[in-house]
Amino acid sequence: MSGERTDAGDGPADEPPVVVKVGGAKAVDPAGAVGDVAHLAANGRQVVVVHGGSTVVDETIERLGMEPEYVESASGVTGRFTDAETMEAFTMAMAGKLNTELTARFREAGVDAVGLSGVDGGLLSGPRKSAVRVVEDGKKKIRRGEHSGRIESVNADLLSGLLADGYTPVVSPPMAGKEGDGGVTPVNADADRAAAAVAGALGADLVLLTDVAGVYADPDAPDTLIESAAAPDELAAVEDAAEGFMGKKVMAATEALSGGSGRVVVADANVRDPIVAALGGEGTTIERSALVDDAGDADDAGDADDAGDADDAGDADDAGDRSEAETEGETA
């Protein structure tokens, strides 16, 4: 991942910036996150918000008379198949509608927010994938016409400049997909992994907000919350426990830590003061010390061969949150 780690300025007591991933699922209420970002910004903490929005994308696709299409990868991950028409709807929904509305909501709360898509200033970029490997009726096939990508570069200087000037960037896919001929095409990217890339590039703490309290040792037993992972064996236990949508969030966590983030917290968006609570120890905290030095680049763990894997192919991001995951078979 290029986009070297930069000092995005000193927050209170030289605290690192915070990157907050806010989901777009119906069960995730952004009100608490908006209030917390306003609180943190007012107290000098630098914050970048990254958001998803699969619910809004699906609603937009349906209004245009199309059907959302999800595909299963060879590794069993389900995500959105984004053809040219779907990509138009995706861009309208994410960059045109949701990012603008969320930026306005932050500004109403007193946050000097600036809305950006991953295309703006080459903020998020990487090679476009025009084909993905899928499983249909038990058979592996190649689907062409895909508009998705794997983030390889973050324009950290752009974000650092905005943060230094007192702005709060609000970032969403699409990303800038690099074509083989040198062209650039807006393409879909997973919002959890986008947040991880940004957090790594800025050396920021990452808070992944969802609609459950964190990673459970038993996904069906909320009283089995894993509170922290600071050693490789503890991270392995978290990875073993993370099923469905949570597996992708843990993958994003390892990518962020490998990229330069100091810690990642998976936490509940719907509690009081969710970001402050997460930074204070609520949820599941994964420390950089949990990584194994010779484990290889975490990026490889989610490599887009695998994204023939709809993980990269779709914004399975909030279809990842449990309310939608139930309707999607909890496959994000």
Side-chain angles (χ1 to χ4, degrees), residues 220-245:
D220 296 320
D223 60 348
T224 63
L225 176 71
I226 301 174
E227 295 184 355
S228 64
D233 59 333
E234 294 172 338
L235 175 56
V238 170
E239 291 173 330
D240 289 343
E243 297 182 355
F245 78 95

Side-chain angles (χ1 to χ4, degrees), residues 3 6 9-10 41 70 72 76 98 144 146 150 160 167 171 181 188 205 208 210 217 222 229 246 270-271 274:
T6 65
D10 293 333
Y70 288 85
E72 180 183 349
L98 191 55
R144 304 192 183 279
E146 169 72 345
R150 176 180 170 212
S160 297
Y167 293 103
V171 178
D181 61 3
N188 189 357
D205 290 341
L208 297 171
T210 183
M246 193 58 75
N270 299 321
V271 300

Side-chain angles (χ1 to χ4, degrees), residues 14-293:
D14 296 330
E15 291 177 311
V18 180
V19 174
V20 180
K21 161 54 173 40
V22 180
K26 291 179 181 178
V28 177
D29 184 354
V34 170
D36 266 5
V37 170
H39 168 77
L40 291 168
N43 285 278
R45 190 81 181 261
Q46 296 180 332
V47 184
V48 178
V49 177
V50 179
H51 71 83
S54 62
T55 299
V56 176
V57 173
D58 282 348
E59 290 172 349
T60 302
I61 289 171
E62 289 167 358
R63 286 196 193 103
L64 293 173
M66 300 184 294
E67 288 291 331
E69 183 179 4
Y70 288 85
V71 293
E72 180 183 349
S73 74
S75 59
V77 178
T78 296
R80 186 187 306 281
F81 182 78
T82 314
D83 60 13
E85 287 187 330
T86 301
M87 192 64 222
E88 289 185 18
F90 181 92
T91 302
M92 284 190 286
M94 293 289 283
K97 174 180 171 61
L98 191 55
N99 186 268
T100 300
E101 291 178 350
L102 192 56
T103 300
R105 192 164 181 174
F106 279 113
R107 295 195 65 85
E108 184 179 17
V111 178
D112 208 353
V114 176
L116 297 166
S117 81
V119 177
D120 296 324
L123 178 55
L124 304 172
S125 62
R128 174 195 168 188
K129 293 196 307 294
S130 60
V132 291
R133 287 196 287 268
V134 303
V135 176
E136 294 181 359
D137 299 324
K139 297 180 180 179
K140 294 181 180 180
K141 299 181 180 180
I142 299 292
R143 288 288 302 272
R144 304 192 183 279
E146 169 72 345
H147 289 66
S148 65
R150 176 180 170 212
I151 299 167
E152 290 188 347
S153 178
V154 176
N155 187 344
D157 289 340
L158 173 58
L159 294 173
S160 297
L162 289 168
L163 291 169
D165 288 340
Y167 293 103
T168 296
V170 180
V171 178
S172 76
M175 62 172 273
K178 297 179 181 179
E179 303 279 8
D181 61 3
V184 175
T185 301
V187 297
N188 189 357
D190 177 72
D192 283 320
R193 300 180 79 178
V198 170
L202 294 177
D205 290 341
L206 173 60
V207 177
L208 297 171
L209 293 177
T210 183
D211 63 350
V212 292
V215 183
Y216 301 140
D218 178 351
D220 296 320
D223 60 348
T224 63
L225 176 71
I226 301 174
E227 295 184 355
S228 64
D233 59 333
E234 294 172 338
L235 175 56
V238 170
E239 291 173 330
D240 289 343
E243 297 182 355
F245 78 95
M246 193 58 75
K248 187 172 56 60
K249 294 186 185 298
V250 173
M251 177 191 292
T254 61
E255 290 178 357
L257 296 169
S258 295
S261 176
R263 62 172 170 160
V264 179
V265 187
V266 181
D268 192 344
N270 299 321
V271 300
R272 181 182 178 88
D273 304 326
I275 302 170
V276 172
L279 295 173
E282 297 295 322
T284 299
T285 300
I286 306 174
E287 305 283 354
R288 192 189 301 172
S289 57
L291 295 182
V292 179
D293 290 340

